[in-house]
Amino acid sequence: MANVAVIGAQWGDEGKGKIVDWLAERADLVVRFQGGHNAGHTLVIGENVYKLSLLPSGIVRGTPSVIGNGVVLDPWALRAEVDKLRGQGVAVTPDTLMIADNCALILPFHRDLDALREDASGAGKIGTTRRGIGPAYEDKVGRRAIRVCDLAHLDDLGPQLDRLTAHHDALRAGFGEPPIDRAALLDELRGIADFVLAFARPVWLTLNEARRRGRRILFEGAQGVLLDVDHGTYPFVTSSNTIAGTAAGGSGLGPSAVGFVLGIAKAYTTRVGSGPFPTELQDEIGQRLGERGHEFGTVTGRKRRCGWFDAVLVRQSVAVSGVTGIALTKLDVLDGLETIRICTGYRLGGRVLDHFPAHAADQAAVEPIYEEIPGWSESTAGARSWAQLPAQAIKYIRRIEELIQCPVALVSTSPEREDTILVRDPFAD
């Protein structure tokens, strides 16, 4: 049986939470492998709604869940999220949650720096969630991060703090901010250390043992491929690699462990924050998609920009992330549209492109080339089999498969976990 990696094939917010929850019931372990608490996954189970930012989606089902070393961890955000879930009746214990002891920490001054930079950027804002994700990754790569394992050795942090504060105090001075209060920082770390360390362990050992025993591992990505720091719409991207290949390095398992790669894509396109968006609609159809799709960010509450399905971008995501099959979500949002458009290419300066260019100026300048297909008047909401879908909706799905050069493995027709059409079982591959 295959392990499965779930990633976003667009700009995030594709409905990964529901799909991971649907798959987690059949998995033995669920692993978050990159990102931080800027991710937002909403799970709807019966009448209960769970909004997760940092915790793997399997935690709600009681599936043992792992925060891998590729994640940057805000310990105070973790405690708040655990407390909230416990208040909703979800058990979060060291048996159900494991945190890699080599995770880098997000600290209060990372959040400060994130906000200071955004405020100083004016019209050039990246659109970060101001949660300190990027600055924490910078410190990790700069080899000055404080990690989960350091919480057990706070009295020995002196040399690390010297390097860390020397770097950040200079940055803070440039913004007119005072130096980091080292004593206050240590007090905050002492206050949170025992909580975090209760969940900490060398999870790579746990995962490798699970793999040897033939356990099913579900890798859960955050954001989407188009926000990947290398392959996304740079510089309007996140600070980590969001492609499926990161599941190996961000968990401590080798590349051969990843298995089936399930890319999640909406039946249309959305984006939160700044950056290029070739198929964006600023008319009544875009407004309709946003209203029917309830397009507001789980983490930020920001209104999402909406547009037609961009087959060029999703085809690119499929290629760079090795996607095996697509889970198409929110098909029901398109119900009732007389005509539906799909972007099949771009025009740029008299040229026709079959890919998204790398340079930001070119990305902003491309014009979409559309193919129009008839819509459908019948409802697809709640459909659980092909037989319950209108013929034209099936044609739309088949055309998407042709254009992105990847089969559709699942179709989601509402936020409810059971309203899912299974075409190809990822765990059976």
Side-chain angles (χ1 to χ4, degrees), residues 173-202:
F175 287 105
E177 294 294 314
I180 293 169
D181 186 334
R182 288 176 56 150
L185 174 62
L186 282 169
D187 284 344
E188 288 188 85
L189 290 173
R190 288 190 180 98
I192 199 72
D194 287 345
F195 174 82
V196 177
L197 289 171
F199 302 102
R201 66 189 71 180

PDB file of all heavy atoms in Angstrom, residues 173-202:
ATOM      1  N   ALA A 173      17.304  47.985  14.897  1.00  0.00           N
ATOM      2  CA  ALA A 173      17.798  49.364  14.967  1.00  0.00           C
ATOM      3  C   ALA A 173      17.452  50.117  13.689  1.00  0.00           C
ATOM      4  O   ALA A 173      17.117  51.316  13.719  1.00  0.00           O
ATOM      5  CB  ALA A 173      19.302  49.380  15.208  1.00  0.00           C
ATOM      6  N   GLY A 174      17.508  49.419  12.562  1.00  0.00           N
ATOM      7  CA  GLY A 174      17.163  50.050  11.294  1.00  0.00           C
ATOM      8  C   GLY A 174      15.716  50.487  11.219  1.00  0.00           C
ATOM      9  O   GLY A 174      15.370  51.393  10.460  1.00  0.00           O
ATOM     10  N   PHE A 175      14.866  49.841  12.001  1.00  0.00           N
ATOM     11  CA  PHE A 175      13.454  50.233  12.065  1.00  0.00           C
ATOM     12  C   PHE A 175      13.156  51.137  13.266  1.00  0.00           C
ATOM     13  O   PHE A 175      11.993  51.434  13.552  1.00  0.00           O
ATOM     14  CB  PHE A 175      12.572  48.978  12.152  1.00  0.00           C
ATOM     15  CG  PHE A 175      12.486  48.200  10.868  1.00  0.00           C
ATOM     16  CD1 PHE A 175      13.175  46.998  10.724  1.00  0.00           C
ATOM     17  CD2 PHE A 175      11.727  48.649   9.802  1.00  0.00           C
ATOM     18  CE1 PHE A 175      13.097  46.268   9.549  1.00  0.00           C
ATOM     19  CE2 PHE A 175      11.649  47.924   8.630  1.00  0.00           C
ATOM     20  CZ  PHE A 175      12.331  46.738   8.495  1.00  0.00           C
ATOM     21  N   GLY A 176      14.204  51.520  13.983  1.00  0.00           N
ATOM     22  CA  GLY A 176      14.013  52.373  15.146  1.00  0.00           C
ATOM     23  C   GLY A 176      13.469  51.635  16.349  1.00  0.00           C
ATOM     24  O   GLY A 176      12.880  52.257  17.249  1.00  0.00           O
ATOM     25  N   GLU A 177      13.663  50.319  16.397  1.00  0.00           N
ATOM     26  CA  GLU A 177      13.162  49.500  17.497  1.00  0.00           C
ATOM     27  C   GLU A 177      14.280  49.199  18.496  1.00  0.00           C
ATOM     28  O   GLU A 177      15.456  49.116  18.111  1.00  0.00           O
ATOM     29  CB  GLU A 177      12.604  48.177  16.959  1.00  0.00           C
ATOM     30  CG  GLU A 177      11.366  48.333  16.101  1.00  0.00           C
ATOM     31  CD  GLU A 177      10.173  48.842  16.885  1.00  0.00           C
ATOM     32  OE1 GLU A 177       9.923  48.324  17.995  1.00  0.00           O
ATOM     33  OE2 GLU A 177       9.508  49.778  16.392  1.00  0.00           O
ATOM     34  N   PRO A 178      13.944  49.003  19.780  1.00  0.00           N
ATOM     35  CA  PRO A 178      14.967  48.699  20.785  1.00  0.00           C
ATOM     36  C   PRO A 178      15.515  47.284  20.605  1.00  0.00           C
ATOM     37  O   PRO A 178      14.901  46.450  19.930  1.00  0.00           O
ATOM     38  CB  PRO A 178      14.203  48.816  22.102  1.00  0.00           C
ATOM     39  CG  PRO A 178      12.775  48.528  21.748  1.00  0.00           C
ATOM     40  CD  PRO A 178      12.589  49.094  20.361  1.00  0.00           C
ATOM     41  N   PRO A 179      16.667  46.974  21.218  1.00  0.00           N
ATOM     42  CA  PRO A 179      17.227  45.620  21.140  1.00  0.00           C
ATOM     43  C   PRO A 179      16.298  44.594  21.793  1.00  0.00           C
ATOM     44  O   PRO A 179      15.401  44.936  22.572  1.00  0.00           O
ATOM     45  CB  PRO A 179      18.554  45.734  21.911  1.00  0.00           C
ATOM     46  CG  PRO A 179      18.841  47.184  21.998  1.00  0.00           C
ATOM     47  CD  PRO A 179      17.523  47.889  21.991  1.00  0.00           C
ATOM     48  N   ILE A 180      16.544  43.332  21.468  1.00  0.00           N
ATOM     49  CA  ILE A 180      15.789  42.231  22.087  1.00  0.00           C
ATOM     50  C   ILE A 180      16.105  42.170  23.574  1.00  0.00           C
ATOM     51  O   ILE A 180      17.263  42.273  23.980  1.00  0.00           O
ATOM     52  CB  ILE A 180      16.157  40.893  21.412  1.00  0.00           C
ATOM     53  CG1 ILE A 180      15.666  40.888  19.957  1.00  0.00           C
ATOM     54  CG2 ILE A 180      15.574  39.703  22.172  1.00  0.00           C
ATOM     55  CD1 ILE A 180      16.219  39.734  19.140  1.00  0.00           C
ATOM     56  N   ASP A 181      15.086  42.017  24.375  1.00  0.00           N
ATOM     57  CA  ASP A 181      15.246  41.854  25.824  1.00  0.00           C
ATOM     58  C   ASP A 181      15.536  40.376  26.084  1.00  0.00           C
ATOM     59  O   ASP A 181      14.612  39.554  26.130  1.00  0.00           O
ATOM     60  CB  ASP A 181      13.981  42.310  26.544  1.00  0.00           C
ATOM     61  CG  ASP A 181      14.117  42.300  28.066  1.00  0.00           C
ATOM     62  OD1 ASP A 181      14.932  41.513  28.587  1.00  0.00           O
ATOM     63  OD2 ASP A 181      13.384  43.064  28.721  1.00  0.00           O
ATOM     64  N   ARG A 182      16.788  40.032  26.239  1.00  0.00           N
ATOM     65  CA  ARG A 182      17.176  38.627  26.378  1.00  0.00           C
ATOM     66  C   ARG A 182      16.580  37.985  27.610  1.00  0.00           C
ATOM     67  O   ARG A 182      16.152  36.827  27.585  1.00  0.00           O
ATOM     68  CB  ARG A 182      18.702  38.501  26.396  1.00  0.00           C
ATOM     69  CG  ARG A 182      19.330  38.750  25.040  1.00  0.00           C
ATOM     70  CD  ARG A 182      20.839  38.729  25.066  1.00  0.00           C
ATOM     71  NE  ARG A 182      21.405  37.497  25.595  1.00  0.00           N
ATOM     72  CZ  ARG A 182      22.572  37.008  25.222  1.00  0.00           C
ATOM     73  NH1 ARG A 182      23.299  37.651  24.295  1.00  0.00           N
ATOM     74  NH2 ARG A 182      23.052  35.905  25.741  1.00  0.00           N
ATOM     75  N   ALA A 183      16.554  38.702  28.705  1.00  0.00           N
ATOM     76  CA  ALA A 183      16.011  38.138  29.952  1.00  0.00           C
ATOM     77  C   ALA A 183      14.529  37.824  29.798  1.00  0.00           C
ATOM     78  O   ALA A 183      14.055  36.762  30.228  1.00  0.00           O
ATOM     79  CB  ALA A 183      16.239  39.107  31.113  1.00  0.00           C
ATOM     80  N   ALA A 184      13.789  38.736  29.158  1.00  0.00           N
ATOM     81  CA  ALA A 184      12.355  38.504  28.952  1.00  0.00           C
ATOM     82  C   ALA A 184      12.130  37.327  28.010  1.00  0.00           C
ATOM     83  O   ALA A 184      11.217  36.515  28.226  1.00  0.00           O
ATOM     84  CB  ALA A 184      11.706  39.763  28.401  1.00  0.00           C
ATOM     85  N   LEU A 185      12.972  37.228  26.983  1.00  0.00           N
ATOM     86  CA  LEU A 185      12.847  36.105  26.050  1.00  0.00           C
ATOM     87  C   LEU A 185      13.074  34.781  26.757  1.00  0.00           C
ATOM     88  O   LEU A 185      12.306  33.826  26.575  1.00  0.00           O
ATOM     89  CB  LEU A 185      13.848  36.273  24.910  1.00  0.00           C
ATOM     90  CG  LEU A 185      13.945  35.105  23.915  1.00  0.00           C
ATOM     91  CD1 LEU A 185      12.623  34.884  23.203  1.00  0.00           C
ATOM     92  CD2 LEU A 185      15.071  35.346  22.906  1.00  0.00           C
ATOM     93  N   LEU A 186      14.107  34.701  27.569  1.00  0.00           N
ATOM     94  CA  LEU A 186      14.378  33.457  28.309  1.00  0.00           C
ATOM     95  C   LEU A 186      13.249  33.115  29.251  1.00  0.00           C
ATOM     96  O   LEU A 186      12.894  31.937  29.420  1.00  0.00           O
ATOM     97  CB  LEU A 186      15.701  33.583  29.062  1.00  0.00           C
ATOM     98  CG  LEU A 186      16.962  33.402  28.202  1.00  0.00           C
ATOM     99  CD1 LEU A 186      18.203  33.806  28.986  1.00  0.00           C
ATOM    100  CD2 LEU A 186      17.084  31.957  27.717  1.00  0.00           C
ATOM    101  N   ASP A 187      12.655  34.133  29.888  1.00  0.00           N
ATOM    102  CA  ASP A 187      11.515  33.874  30.775  1.00  0.00           C
ATOM    103  C   ASP A 187      10.346  33.282  29.993  1.00  0.00           C
ATOM    104  O   ASP A 187       9.676  32.348  30.470  1.00  0.00           O
ATOM    105  CB  ASP A 187      11.082  35.169  31.469  1.00  0.00           C
ATOM    106  CG  ASP A 187      12.014  35.581  32.604  1.00  0.00           C
ATOM    107  OD1 ASP A 187      12.805  34.726  33.051  1.00  0.00           O
ATOM    108  OD2 ASP A 187      11.951  36.756  33.021  1.00  0.00           O
ATOM    109  N   GLU A 188      10.106  33.833  28.797  1.00  0.00           N
ATOM    110  CA  GLU A 188       9.010  33.303  27.970  1.00  0.00           C
ATOM    111  C   GLU A 188       9.290  31.865  27.547  1.00  0.00           C
ATOM    112  O   GLU A 188       8.382  31.016  27.537  1.00  0.00           O
ATOM    113  CB  GLU A 188       8.811  34.187  26.742  1.00  0.00           C
ATOM    114  CG  GLU A 188       8.197  35.545  27.028  1.00  0.00           C
ATOM    115  CD  GLU A 188       7.852  36.299  25.757  1.00  0.00           C
ATOM    116  OE1 GLU A 188       6.749  36.067  25.223  1.00  0.00           O
ATOM    117  OE2 GLU A 188       8.682  37.098  25.297  1.00  0.00           O
ATOM    118  N   LEU A 189      10.527  31.586  27.204  1.00  0.00           N
ATOM    119  CA  LEU A 189      10.885  30.225  26.791  1.00  0.00           C
ATOM    120  C   LEU A 189      10.770  29.249  27.959  1.00  0.00           C
ATOM    121  O   LEU A 189      10.317  28.113  27.784  1.00  0.00           O
ATOM    122  CB  LEU A 189      12.300  30.212  26.217  1.00  0.00           C
ATOM    123  CG  LEU A 189      12.469  30.906  24.853  1.00  0.00           C
ATOM    124  CD1 LEU A 189      13.937  30.985  24.467  1.00  0.00           C
ATOM    125  CD2 LEU A 189      11.670  30.181  23.767  1.00  0.00           C
ATOM    126  N   ARG A 190      11.178  29.675  29.146  1.00  0.00           N
ATOM    127  CA  ARG A 190      11.035  28.798  30.321  1.00  0.00           C
ATOM    128  C   ARG A 190       9.561  28.512  30.613  1.00  0.00           C
ATOM    129  O   ARG A 190       9.204  27.417  31.070  1.00  0.00           O
ATOM    130  CB  ARG A 190      11.714  29.438  31.540  1.00  0.00           C
ATOM    131  CG  ARG A 190      13.236  29.418  31.473  1.00  0.00           C
ATOM    132  CD  ARG A 190      13.871  29.824  32.794  1.00  0.00           C
ATOM    133  NE  ARG A 190      15.339  29.793  32.682  1.00  0.00           N
ATOM    134  CZ  ARG A 190      16.099  30.847  32.445  1.00  0.00           C
ATOM    135  NH1 ARG A 190      15.519  32.046  32.301  1.00  0.00           N
ATOM    136  NH2 ARG A 190      17.407  30.730  32.325  1.00  0.00           N
ATOM    137  N   GLY A 191       8.720  29.498  30.342  1.00  0.00           N
ATOM    138  CA  GLY A 191       7.298  29.316  30.617  1.00  0.00           C
ATOM    139  C   GLY A 191       6.599  28.365  29.669  1.00  0.00           C
ATOM    140  O   GLY A 191       5.547  27.816  30.004  1.00  0.00           O
ATOM    141  N   ILE A 192       7.171  28.157  28.476  1.00  0.00           N
ATOM    142  CA  ILE A 192       6.531  27.303  27.467  1.00  0.00           C
ATOM    143  C   ILE A 192       7.261  25.988  27.275  1.00  0.00           C
ATOM    144  O   ILE A 192       6.727  25.044  26.673  1.00  0.00           O
ATOM    145  CB  ILE A 192       6.433  28.053  26.118  1.00  0.00           C
ATOM    146  CG1 ILE A 192       5.382  27.409  25.185  1.00  0.00           C
ATOM    147  CG2 ILE A 192       7.794  28.120  25.405  1.00  0.00           C
ATOM    148  CD1 ILE A 192       3.970  27.636  25.584  1.00  0.00           C
ATOM    149  N   ALA A 193       8.491  25.870  27.787  1.00  0.00           N
ATOM    150  CA  ALA A 193       9.361  24.732  27.474  1.00  0.00           C
ATOM    151  C   ALA A 193       8.733  23.393  27.826  1.00  0.00           C
ATOM    152  O   ALA A 193       8.719  22.464  26.999  1.00  0.00           O
ATOM    153  CB  ALA A 193      10.705  24.894  28.176  1.00  0.00           C
ATOM    154  N   ASP A 194       8.216  23.251  29.044  1.00  0.00           N
ATOM    155  CA  ASP A 194       7.683  21.954  29.470  1.00  0.00           C
ATOM    156  C   ASP A 194       6.504  21.525  28.602  1.00  0.00           C
ATOM    157  O   ASP A 194       6.350  20.327  28.298  1.00  0.00           O
ATOM    158  CB  ASP A 194       7.257  22.010  30.939  1.00  0.00           C
ATOM    159  CG  ASP A 194       8.451  22.046  31.889  1.00  0.00           C
ATOM    160  OD1 ASP A 194       9.573  21.745  31.438  1.00  0.00           O
ATOM    161  OD2 ASP A 194       8.259  22.392  33.075  1.00  0.00           O
ATOM    162  N   PHE A 195       5.674  22.489  28.204  1.00  0.00           N
ATOM    163  CA  PHE A 195       4.522  22.151  27.358  1.00  0.00           C
ATOM    164  C   PHE A 195       4.986  21.548  26.041  1.00  0.00           C
ATOM    165  O   PHE A 195       4.493  20.502  25.611  1.00  0.00           O
ATOM    166  CB  PHE A 195       3.673  23.396  27.102  1.00  0.00           C
ATOM    167  CG  PHE A 195       2.550  23.170  26.137  1.00  0.00           C
ATOM    168  CD1 PHE A 195       1.354  22.597  26.561  1.00  0.00           C
ATOM    169  CD2 PHE A 195       2.686  23.491  24.783  1.00  0.00           C
ATOM    170  CE1 PHE A 195       0.323  22.361  25.668  1.00  0.00           C
ATOM    171  CE2 PHE A 195       1.666  23.257  23.880  1.00  0.00           C
ATOM    172  CZ  PHE A 195       0.476  22.688  24.331  1.00  0.00           C
ATOM    173  N   VAL A 196       5.954  22.187  25.385  1.00  0.00           N
ATOM    174  CA  VAL A 196       6.410  21.720  24.075  1.00  0.00           C
ATOM    175  C   VAL A 196       7.194  20.414  24.197  1.00  0.00           C
ATOM    176  O   VAL A 196       6.999  19.475  23.419  1.00  0.00           O
ATOM    177  CB  VAL A 196       7.273  22.794  23.386  1.00  0.00           C
ATOM    178  CG1 VAL A 196       7.818  22.275  22.052  1.00  0.00           C
ATOM    179  CG2 VAL A 196       6.467  24.063  23.169  1.00  0.00           C
ATOM    180  N   LEU A 197       8.067  20.341  25.192  1.00  0.00           N
ATOM    181  CA  LEU A 197       8.935  19.162  25.324  1.00  0.00           C
ATOM    182  C   LEU A 197       8.151  17.885  25.596  1.00  0.00           C
ATOM    183  O   LEU A 197       8.629  16.786  25.305  1.00  0.00           O
ATOM    184  CB  LEU A 197       9.962  19.397  26.434  1.00  0.00           C
ATOM    185  CG  LEU A 197      11.057  20.420  26.090  1.00  0.00           C
ATOM    186  CD1 LEU A 197      11.900  20.741  27.331  1.00  0.00           C
ATOM    187  CD2 LEU A 197      11.943  19.913  24.958  1.00  0.00           C
ATOM    188  N   ALA A 198       6.943  18.012  26.137  1.00  0.00           N
ATOM    189  CA  ALA A 198       6.119  16.822  26.380  1.00  0.00           C
ATOM    190  C   ALA A 198       5.793  16.081  25.077  1.00  0.00           C
ATOM    191  O   ALA A 198       5.566  14.868  25.077  1.00  0.00           O
ATOM    192  CB  ALA A 198       4.830  17.218  27.093  1.00  0.00           C
ATOM    193  N   PHE A 199       5.790  16.835  23.958  1.00  0.00           N
ATOM    194  CA  PHE A 199       5.456  16.232  22.665  1.00  0.00           C
ATOM    195  C   PHE A 199       6.692  15.944  21.810  1.00  0.00           C
ATOM    196  O   PHE A 199       6.581  15.332  20.745  1.00  0.00           O
ATOM    197  CB  PHE A 199       4.550  17.178  21.867  1.00  0.00           C
ATOM    198  CG  PHE A 199       3.259  17.542  22.551  1.00  0.00           C
ATOM    199  CD1 PHE A 199       3.111  18.769  23.182  1.00  0.00           C
ATOM    200  CD2 PHE A 199       2.193  16.657  22.579  1.00  0.00           C
ATOM    201  CE1 PHE A 199       1.924  19.117  23.811  1.00  0.00           C
ATOM    202  CE2 PHE A 199       0.996  16.983  23.203  1.00  0.00           C
ATOM    203  CZ  PHE A 199       0.868  18.219  23.825  1.00  0.00           C
ATOM    204  N   ALA A 200       7.862  16.398  22.251  1.00  0.00           N
ATOM    205  CA  ALA A 200       9.062  16.357  21.413  1.00  0.00           C
ATOM    206  C   ALA A 200       9.719  14.979  21.415  1.00  0.00           C
ATOM    207  O   ALA A 200       9.775  14.305  22.455  1.00  0.00           O
ATOM    208  CB  ALA A 200      10.062  17.406  21.896  1.00  0.00           C
ATOM    209  N   ARG A 201      10.236  14.603  20.257  1.00  0.00           N
ATOM    210  CA  ARG A 201      10.976  13.346  20.123  1.00  0.00           C
ATOM    211  C   ARG A 201      11.670  13.322  18.754  1.00  0.00           C
ATOM    212  O   ARG A 201      11.346  14.142  17.886  1.00  0.00           O
ATOM    213  CB  ARG A 201      10.044  12.145  20.267  1.00  0.00           C
ATOM    214  CG  ARG A 201       9.012  11.997  19.168  1.00  0.00           C
ATOM    215  CD  ARG A 201       7.996  10.926  19.507  1.00  0.00           C
ATOM    216  NE  ARG A 201       7.118  11.374  20.582  1.00  0.00           N
ATOM    217  CZ  ARG A 201       6.129  10.646  21.087  1.00  0.00           C
ATOM    218  NH1 ARG A 201       5.914   9.427  20.640  1.00  0.00           N
ATOM    219  NH2 ARG A 201       5.371  11.116  22.051  1.00  0.00           N
ATOM    220  N   PRO A 202      12.587  12.395  18.538  1.00  0.00           N
ATOM    221  CA  PRO A 202      13.187  12.250  17.199  1.00  0.00           C
ATOM    222  C   PRO A 202      12.197  11.547  16.273  1.00  0.00           C
ATOM    223  O   PRO A 202      12.236  10.325  16.111  1.00  0.00           O
ATOM    224  CB  PRO A 202      14.438  11.409  17.465  1.00  0.00           C
ATOM    225  CG  PRO A 202      14.127  10.649  18.709  1.00  0.00           C
ATOM    226  CD  PRO A 202      13.202  11.491  19.528  1.00  0.00           C
TER     227      PRO A 202
END
